Amino acid sequence: MRLILFSIDADTLLFEPWIMTRFKPTKAFGTLLVSLILLSSTLTAETPTRIVSLNGTVTEILFALGAGNQVLADDTSSYFPEKAKTLPKVGYQRTLTPEAILIHKPDLVLGLEYAGPAQTIQQLKDTGINVQILPEKLTTEGAEERIKTIGSLVGKTKEANALAKQFNSEMKQLKIVKTKVRVLFLYSRSVSSIFVAGKNTAADVMIQLSGAVNVAEKISDFKPLTPEALIDLNPDIILMPEISVEGLGGENGVWAINGMSHTNAGKNKRLTTMDDLMLLGFGPRLPQALKTLNTKWKGFE
């Protein structure tokens, strides 16, 4: 009963004729009215119902928390779970325009620090919309913290605590066996642009957490791959997102990369692929991703 009363919005309380004709405006009623209006506004602010997600991992977490029905649109990196694919797209998280987002009249825009360009994010904030850009922390603790933060922003604190607890439990149950397998992570959308992941990347952290060695650990961030560098690094295994392999025309495209035939990975045709979000997203499926990778490394050793 109390919840029904509180769900009446401020406009209804102020202007709905049946309310004003059935209650005499006393001081007590006025105080109650103001309290209800303030509480109604607070609830609206704390429980967004029109969310635009700007990141695939954010979208995945929202659905995992049971807030999927609050998401009106998402970006093109949002394709898990299946329902996320059916939502209207606002573009890619790094190349957003305010128009594509504002058309959905969101009461919360939620993304990670990749979201941009900066001008677009600032324009969204200037409209007064609640825009939350969360920092990317490439650690298991950071992933757990992100779940809880998103839960608090969308009115799913209880669900977020439960999901974080489950995530933490799965991480503790992992039995990662360290290996000497030397892995090279490649990212590409086409044959003409192939990049290798060094330090300070999600790929580097995933390789280490899964018990392998990143052969490109002496470089930082993503760097263009050259045949000379590939031969010099001489990885045992190539690790790639599934979409990157598709961009090269399939597995044969990977083995056709200049210099690949001179590496241990190329000679033995050792390639490991994984869904992009699962591999690099640091989302709720992180324990599953690490377990899968470690199993593969042990099989190659």
Side-chain angles (χ1 to χ4, degrees):
M1 185 64 187
R2 192 179 178 190
L3 286 175
I4 294 173
L5 182 60
F6 285 176
S7 69
I8 300 172
D9 60 37
D11 289 344
T12 301
L13 285 168
L14 285 174
F15 302 114
E16 195 65 33
W18 71 265
I19 291 179
M20 301 309 292
T21 55
R22 285 165 173 76
F23 293 92
K24 292 184 178 180
T26 63
K27 183 178 180 179
F29 176 72
T31 301
L32 174 62
L33 184 61
V34 171
S35 299
L36 289 174
I37 292 172
L38 290 175
L39 181 56
S40 175
S41 300
T42 301
L43 286 176
T44 299
E46 293 179 351
T47 313
T49 58
R50 303 183 64 83
I51 303 171
V52 171
S53 172
L54 306 181
N55 177 271
T57 301
V58 170
T59 303
E60 181 176 340
I61 292 173
L62 287 169
F63 275 87
L65 295 177
N69 61 349
Q70 296 164 238
V71 183
L72 295 183
D74 54 23
D75 86 314
T76 54
S77 72
S78 302
Y79 54 82
F80 185 87
E82 281 293 316
K83 177 64 177 177
K85 296 180 181 178
T86 67
L87 296 175
K89 301 299 177 185
V90 298
Y92 180 56
Q93 59 180 332
R94 295 180 187 270
T95 56
L96 300 165
T97 63
E99 295 81 6
I101 297 170
L102 292 174
I103 194 172
H104 299 288
K105 301 178 180 178
D107 53 12
L108 175 63
V109 177
L110 189 54
L112 298 186
E113 59 186 38
Y114 307 124
Q119 183 180 8
T120 293
I121 301 304
Q122 187 57 53
Q123 288 175 326
L124 292 170
K125 291 179 177 177
D126 290 344
T127 66
I129 293 174
N130 185 11
V131 179
Q132 297 289 336
I133 303 300
L134 308 182
E136 175 66 296
K137 297 180 180 178
L138 300 176
T139 62
T140 55
E141 293 80 9
E144 185 178 344
E145 179 183 329
R146 185 160 55 206
I147 291 170
K148 291 181 178 179
T149 300
I150 292 176
S152 68
L153 289 171
V154 302
K156 296 289 184 180
T157 301
K158 181 180 177 181
E159 292 83 351
N161 288 338
L163 182 60
K165 184 177 180 181
Q166 177 186 333
F167 173 88
N168 194 31
S169 175
E170 291 176 1
M171 287 300 303
K172 287 181 177 178
Q173 291 177 27
L174 277 179
K175 296 180 180 178
I176 299 297
V177 178
K178 288 285 185 181
T179 72
K180 295 181 180 179
V181 172
R182 292 160 46 81
V183 179
L184 178 65
F185 178 89
L186 297 181
Y187 182 87
S188 174
R189 286 288 187 254
S190 67
V191 178
S192 59
S193 60
I194 303 174
F195 295 87
V196 55
K199 286 286 186 184
N200 304 319
T201 64
D204 176 63
V205 177
M206 287 297 291
I207 291 171
Q208 293 187 53
L209 288 177
S210 62
V213 177
N214 181 8
V215 295
E217 62 183 1
K218 292 184 179 179
I219 66 173
S220 295
D221 304 318
F222 283 91
K223 296 289 189 300
L225 179 69
T226 65
E228 295 78 13
L230 178 57
I231 294 171
D232 184 56
L233 292 171
N234 190 23
D236 297 321
I237 301 172
I238 302 298
L239 173 63
M240 297 182 71
E242 291 174 350
I243 293 180
S244 286
V245 176
E246 292 174 9
L248 295 178
E251 184 172 339
N252 287 336
V254 177
W255 307 133
I257 295 174
N258 286 337
M260 186 65 79
S261 61
H262 297 285
T263 67
N264 289 335
K267 292 173 184 174
N268 297 303
K269 300 289 191 293
R270 287 177 171 176
L271 171 68
T272 294
T273 64
M274 187 175 283
D275 170 79
D276 295 38
L277 269 180
M278 188 171 172
L279 177 59
L280 304 174
F282 278 75
R285 294 179 292 163
L286 177 60
Q288 182 183 344
L290 292 175
K291 182 179 180 180
T292 300
L293 289 176
N294 189 241
T295 300
K296 289 181 180 291
W297 306 154
K298 287 186 289 186
F300 286 133
E301 201 171 40

